[in-house]
Each structure stands twice: as C-alpha cells, then as structure tokens.
Amino acid sequence: MTDDGLAGAELVVTDRDPAAEGVAVLSLCRPDGGDLPAWTPGAHLDLELGPGLVRQYSLCGDPADRATMRVAVQLEAEGRGGSRHVHKRLTPGATVRVRGPRNNFPLVAAPRYLFVAGGIGITPIRPMVAAADAAGADWRLVYGGRSRATMAFADALREKYGDRVGLYPQDETGLLDLDELLGRPVDGLVYCCGPEALIAAVEQRCRAWPPGALHVERFTPLAPTEAVDAAVEVELALSGRTLTVPPGTSILEAVEAAGVQVLSSCREGTCGTCETGVLDGVPEHRDSLLTEAERAAGDTMMICVSRSVTPRLTLEL
C-alpha cells in the first residue's frame, strides 16, 4: 500500500491550469526533468506545504506519463489552510516537497464498474475511468456537483467517453438518484469518492450488495467514536521498547515522544501514511480507510487515531 519513492523530494510546478471554478490543476516535475515513480489509479501524493501543513491530493493525470504528476486542488475558503496555500503560492516555478505516491484506493480488476463521483472526488476516479476503458471493461460514470461550472474535467470526460459519462449538476438536476443507481445489486464493483454525505448514502444503499463490491475514499474523517480511552501498553517489536500510552494520547504521539520515527501525515485516519503492522493484540479501528475485511483481519492499524481492544498491543515498529 505504500511507495515512498518521492519521500521528501522537491518537485517544481511547471504549469497551473484552471479545471473548474475554484479548482486548479498543478503539473509537478523533477527539477532535472528525470522520471517520476510509477503510480496506479487511485494513488495520491502528500504535499508538504509548511510546518505541520501536509495535505494529500489524488493524482489525476496519466500514469503512463513518467515526466509529470498532476493534482487538482479545490479552494476551500473555510478549510484549514492547505488549499489556500496551494492556490496562493504554488504558481509556475514554485517548488514543493512531496511524499509518495501512495495508493489506498486501488482499482481492482473487474469486468464491470459503476463510478460515482461528487465534486472534487472526480480526481481519483478520472484515471480509473481511463484504465477501465483501456481494459475493455463495461463501465459507467455518474458525476455530480454543485453546478456545471464547479465540476472539474466534466466537459473533457463527456467529450471523450460520450453517454457513458452522466453529468448531474445539482442546480440543474437535483441530487443523484442513488436509489435508481444502487437499489438493485448487480455483478460488478462500485467506486465512490466525494463529500461525506454522498459516501454515507452510497454505503447505506450498498449494504445489500456482495461483500467487497463497494470501494470508497474519504477526504474527511468519520465522526469520532464515543469510546473513552483507557491506557494501553504497546510493545515496539523492532525497537525493543515497551510504552504505556495514557488516555488522551494517541499511539503515534507516544511512539514519537519515545524517539521512534514513524511516517505520518493527516493524523486523522484518512491518508494511510502511518499504517503499522499489528503482531499481537486486537486493535480498535477508528480510521476512515480500512475495509471491513481489513479491520476483521486485525493485522494492521492507523496508529494516529486507532486504539486497542486488548490491554496490550505488539506493533511492527
């Protein structure tokens, strides 16, 4: 799931193009013009925008283009500052330090797909559509947004793929008719990315579908659990240390305080950067990333948010 081929590398912004109202597409290249790491549809980059300001953006270009990586960033005026930094400072000629690419939303081979995108959620879906089409799969894209002007890549997708792409600006057509789309399970996979309300609605309607049929990626974390944290003992198998993590402190924070280096980014359980192997004990998953099957397996966890069901965990750190 992890490929840190660009861990800490500095890339240069060679182009910045508008993709829709409030959406900028950055083209990122090596300063020396060399090849970039390979990536697959669904992958994202971490952009290190400043101290404590790391954001994840899905790659939306062509995986066959090893010279350029492209990300689309929607300006969030009421956000935490990442998109404002991108829109204000990352102009052509600027440099940005990056990590990745990393893929927690891979496209699984299948004969049939339904892609459901909402707003900027189109970014990881766009290269998936191209891959599905190139593979000769039967696919359909349903793409909704606030208005046609805010829907990045909408015209290009429709021009290239015709009626396989359904565009549904809310101010023209209302909300997506998910009951019609998902009310009856079919043989195939559903990929969804977009606002939390859309993802939750799709998840609700896909409960009757076969296990593993639905794949989602969230940009924001799920609502926190109501559980009260208890102290947990954590053994770091590779470091030979045992830590007591007190209530109110995350496992990641305790590990960092002990001087053990762990890659991390969002600290919200959405990006997968801090994913850590579990060798013993039962994790209490609080992330917004792992599938139900991965949670049940219990052999990996996001230590930035997740805790423990058992009094002790042994981690691969």
Side-chain angles (χ1 to χ4, degrees):
M1 296 177 71
T2 300
D3 177 359
D4 289 307
L6 286 173
E10 198 166 73
L11 300 185
V12 62
V13 180
T14 56
D15 287 294
R16 192 171 95 169
D17 301 308
E21 189 176 289
V23 179
V25 177
L26 305 185
S27 297
L28 305 172
C29 301
R30 288 188 184 274
D32 62 5
D35 280 354
L36 293 162
W39 60 277
T40 54
H44 69 263
L45 278 183
D46 293 352
L47 270 58
E48 300 180 12
L49 303 174
L53 190 62
V54 180
R55 296 292 182 267
Q56 295 75 43
Y57 296 108
S58 298
L59 290 164
C60 62
D62 181 359
D65 182 358
R66 297 295 296 275
T68 305
M69 287 179 167
R70 291 180 173 84
V71 295
V73 181
Q74 178 174 277
L75 179 61
E76 301 284 355
E78 303 303 320
R80 295 173 296 163
S83 67
R84 291 196 300 274
H85 179 103
V86 170
H87 277 254
K88 183 177 181 180
R89 300 188 182 182
L90 293 190
T91 54
T95 58
V96 60
R97 197 169 295 277
V98 305
R99 294 202 303 251
R102 182 177 294 107
N103 198 340
N104 301 307
F105 190 42
L107 183 67
V108 178
R112 186 175 295 106
Y113 300 95
L114 172 62
F115 298 107
V116 182
I120 199 62
I122 191 62
T123 52
I125 298 294
R126 186 190 189 198
M128 289 184 178
V129 164
D133 193 67
D138 179 11
W139 64 268
R140 178 186 178 192
L141 168 62
V142 177
Y143 179 16
R146 295 191 309 274
S147 66
R148 195 172 295 270
T150 66
M151 296 169 64
F153 312 121
D155 291 341
L157 285 164
R158 191 61 182 268
E159 288 171 9
K160 185 171 184 178
Y161 300 112
D163 291 342
R164 281 188 164 189
V165 175
L167 303 179
Y168 297 91
Q170 187 176 342
D171 61 350
E172 299 177 23
T173 64
L175 295 174
L176 296 178
D177 188 350
L178 297 179
D179 290 327
E180 186 275 330
L181 285 170
L182 303 167
R184 182 171 56 86
V186 297
D187 180 22
L189 300 182
V190 178
Y191 276 78
C192 177
C193 187
E196 177 56 32
L198 172 64
I199 293 177
V202 169
E203 287 178 328
Q204 191 276 328
R205 287 162 176 81
C206 284
R207 286 175 185 162
W209 287 55
L214 175 61
H215 299 255
V216 305
E217 182 170 63
R218 285 179 159 88
F219 294 141
T220 57
L222 292 167
T225 66
E226 299 294 329
V228 177
D229 289 344
V232 59
E233 193 171 75
V234 177
E235 178 186 351
L236 309 182
L238 303 183
S239 303
R241 305 188 61 176
T242 299
L243 313 174
T244 298
V245 183
T249 298
S250 71
I251 294 174
L252 174 61
E253 290 169 338
V255 169
E256 289 177 330
V260 177
Q261 290 191 337
V262 182
L263 281 176
S264 66
S265 184
C266 71
R267 295 179 179 257
E268 295 179 327
T270 59
C271 75
T273 307
C274 70
E275 184 173 359
T276 300
V278 178
L279 303 178
D280 193 33
V282 180
E284 179 194 338
H285 297 291
R286 301 180 183 178
D287 65 276
S288 307
L289 191 62
L290 295 176
T291 65
E292 289 303 317
E294 290 168 335
R295 289 171 180 244
D299 56 5
T300 189
M301 67 185 293
M302 308 304 160
I303 61 173
C304 64
V305 293
S306 295
R307 203 77 181 173
S308 180
V309 174
T310 51
R312 182 183 176 96
L313 283 176
T314 302
L315 302 180
E316 197 174 2
L317 289 173

